[in-house]
Amino acid sequence: MSTTAIGSGRTSTAAGLDSILDQANRAQAVLQRFFAKAGVPTLRIALGLVFLGFGALKFLPGVSPVEELVVATWGALSFGLVGPQLAMALTALMEVAVGLALVTGVFLRIGLLVLAATFVGIFSPLVFFAGDLFTTAGPTLTAQYVLKDVVLVGAAMVVAARALQRPIGRV
């Protein structure tokens, strides 16, 4: 054990610093265990609430800020076969189903599969309507709305990695 004289004549030992570092490491380990245990379920539920909230808005005509984009995207993806009301209803149903699966954990794998399909629709406007979403001044508010969903994809990947750890089997 080494000691060092400090200005007042007192001595400071390396053992004192080691003790503080040990306590900090123990506290960090407690936090790490908590985050490891609670992080993915919290992320799953938060992601589910986002889909529930935005999906529910789509059931109400004129309430969703992306209604026009949803209708145009379904029109492009279905070659005009899906009309505006059906486009909104299908999108709302998919998003609410995903949200419920994520929040409750019931039928989670099916919900994740539907979520993957919703991401196709979410990012399709970047391909179909790039000229409308990006101007010389930069991305429009609608483009920013779509681009923020990259975070949702990352969150969904973390949730899916945990959900798919166990093998598929009988209940």
Side-chain angles (χ1 to χ4, degrees):
M1 196 182 308
S2 68
T3 61
T4 307
I6 53 178
S8 65
R10 294 177 294 152
T11 59
S12 169
T13 64
L17 179 59
D18 288 344
S19 173
I20 292 170
L21 292 174
D22 287 343
Q23 289 175 345
N25 281 323
R26 283 193 296 277
Q28 178 177 298
V30 168
L31 286 172
Q32 188 280 328
R33 284 191 300 273
F34 170 75
F35 292 146
K37 183 174 182 171
V40 174
T42 301
L43 186 61
R44 176 180 54 80
I45 291 167
L47 185 62
L49 291 173
V50 167
F51 273 87
L52 268 174
F54 284 102
L57 289 178
K58 290 176 180 76
F59 279 120
L60 307 169
V63 175
S64 174
V66 292
E67 185 170 339
E68 187 178 309
L69 185 63
V70 168
V71 169
T73 301
W74 271 99
L77 287 172
S78 71
F79 303 102
L81 296 175
V82 175
Q85 291 83 9
L86 183 57
M88 292 305 290
L90 288 172
T91 303
L93 281 171
M94 289 173 71
E95 290 182 4
V96 167
V98 165
L100 288 172
L102 288 166
V103 168
T104 65
V106 177
F107 299 116
L108 184 55
R109 291 176 188 208
I110 294 169
L112 289 167
L113 196 60
V114 175
L115 179 58
T118 66
F119 283 134
V120 171
I122 288 169
F123 290 115
S124 290
L126 296 173
V127 175
F128 293 127
F129 314 117
D132 297 329
L133 297 176
F134 298 94
T135 66
T136 55
T140 64
L141 190 57
T142 304
Q144 293 173 43
Y145 189 92
V146 172
L147 290 172
K148 63 102 176 98
D149 290 336
V150 171
V151 174
L152 300 182
V153 170
M157 291 170 68
V158 171
V159 169
R162 171 73 64 88
L164 301 176
Q165 280 180 333
R166 19 177 209 95
I168 298 171
R170 296 180 191 197
V171 178

